[in-house]
């Protein structure tokens, strides 16, 4: 039986790679000067791969862009998790 652990704070989606690492999707700021989240960030915990999806470039009159950016980040995370063979970094 696999041990379940709590997700880190701010993780909105998590994907398991073929080698057992995770790819986490979070909301983050693009630059250190930003005061509120404005990017959906996907990062692999086994290798250095990551993807940023900026909200502003996907905003429309109903959404600040986060929904579309989340979708893009989730798609990237899923595709990366399906092929990444890097083992998880030690805790």
């Amino acid at each position: 039986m696999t041990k379940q652990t709590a997700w880190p704070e701010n993780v909105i989606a998590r994907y398991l790679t073929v080698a057992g690492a995770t790819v986490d999707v979070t909301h983050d700021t693009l630059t250190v000067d930003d005061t509120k989240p404005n990017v959906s960030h996907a990062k692999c915990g086994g290798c250095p791969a990551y993807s940023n999806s900026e909200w502003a470039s996907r905003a429309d009159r109903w959404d600040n862009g986060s929904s579309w950016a989340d979708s893009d980040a989730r798609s990237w995370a899923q595709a990366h998790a399906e092929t990444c063979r890097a083992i998880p970094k030690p805790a």
Side-chain angles (χ1 to χ4, degrees), residues 23-24 30 40-45 47-53 73 76-77 80:
V23 182
D24 292 339
L30 192 58
S40 297
H41 179 73
K43 180 167 184 357
C44 183
C47 76
Y50 72 92
S51 175
N52 286 326
S53 298
W76 182 90
H80 180 76

Side-chain angles (χ1 to χ4, degrees), residues 23-85:
V23 182
D24 292 339
V25 178
T26 59
H27 289 161
D28 206 347
T29 55
L30 192 58
T31 68
V32 294
D33 295 331
D34 295 330
T35 58
K36 292 191 279 187
N38 56 10
V39 64
S40 297
H41 179 73
K43 180 167 184 357
C44 183
C47 76
Y50 72 92
S51 175
N52 286 326
S53 298
E54 295 181 47
W55 296 0
S57 64
R58 292 161 179 79
D60 59 29
R61 65 183 224 190
W62 295 284
D63 182 73
N64 66 356
S66 63
S67 296
W68 292 106
D70 284 353
S71 179
D72 289 349
R74 288 172 189 258
S75 292
W76 182 90
Q78 177 68 46
H80 180 76
E82 290 174 355
T83 60
C84 183
R85 298 197 182 285

